[in-house]
Amino acid sequence: MSEEIRHHATRVRRRRRHKSSVTNINIFAMTPSTEAAAQPAAPAPVPGPAPVPPPEHEDEGLFGERLVSPEWLERRAKRLEKQEQEIKHRALEIERREAELDEREARFEADMYLREDEIEAREENLRELEARLGQKESDLGSFVARVQGGLLADAG
């Protein structure tokens, strides 16, 4: 009987795959497939040359599920951290540009108000000059009329 158990144990050992150490635990990403359960079993396809799975997914073919290794998780965490840093950098850059844009807009607005004030002052100055010019024209006209009136009186 012990010989039968020993023979059975050797057979079992041959079928089992080597397990990794406890420190290298793989996590199963289990996704239930509703389509696979709903479809009837199809006839087995004619076997051709088996495609070689990529190194990341080599356990997927053995167990029918994708394994997530700690190395993959570390790479993903590093990639996500890098993307977060890039997003933070871009957000800071956008905030800086928005602040610059607000500052430029405020400068342009202040310049516009100053120019409007300057234009209004010039317009007022021009109105005053036009009024003085009009007064001088009327004074000149009355002077010319007096002179012509005096010359006519002297000639007559």
Side-chain angles (χ1 to χ4, degrees):
M1 181 128 179
S2 68
E3 185 178 315
E4 188 176 302
I5 293 173
R6 197 171 46 219
H7 175 68
H8 180 68
T10 17
R11 251 186 351 171
V12 170
R13 243 185 264 130
R14 286 184 196 144
R15 282 189 288 175
R16 292 185 186 163
R17 295 194 52 82
H18 182 293
K19 292 185 178 181
S20 59
S21 68
V22 177
T23 57
N24 188 10
I25 298 175
N26 287 322
I27 301 170
F28 289 93
M30 301 179 71
T31 55
S33 175
T34 56
E35 294 176 11
Q39 294 178 352
V46 178
V52 178
E56 303 174 332
H57 308 293
E58 59 188 356
D59 291 337
E60 187 175 339
L62 298 173
F63 300 107
E65 298 170 350
R66 185 175 177 183
L67 301 177
V68 180
S69 68
E71 293 85 14
W72 182 82
L73 288 174
E74 286 179 28
R75 285 194 311 264
R76 185 165 189 248
K78 287 179 183 176
R79 188 175 65 236
L80 288 175
E81 186 177 331
K82 186 177 179 181
Q83 288 174 348
E84 283 179 11
Q85 293 293 332
E86 186 175 324
I87 288 170
K88 286 179 184 177
H89 178 69
R90 287 181 180 180
L92 288 174
E93 182 66 20
I94 288 172
E95 288 177 13
R96 184 187 63 79
R97 291 172 121 184
E98 284 178 350
E100 286 179 1
L101 184 63
D102 290 341
E103 185 179 333
R104 283 181 58 197
E105 185 180 352
R107 265 196 241 125
F108 286 138
E109 201 169 309
D111 286 345
M112 184 184 68
Y113 286 130
L114 290 174
R115 287 180 184 174
E116 282 180 356
D117 290 345
E118 186 179 326
I119 289 172
E120 288 174 4
R122 284 184 181 179
E123 287 175 349
E124 182 64 31
N125 190 20
L126 284 175
R127 274 189 232 112
E128 290 175 6
L129 289 174
E130 284 178 352
R132 280 181 43 198
L133 181 61
Q135 183 66 36
K136 286 187 178 186
E137 283 177 351
S138 75
D139 288 348
L140 183 60
S142 64
F143 176 73
V144 168
R146 276 187 301 174
V147 170
Q148 283 179 350
L151 287 178
L152 289 176
D154 287 339

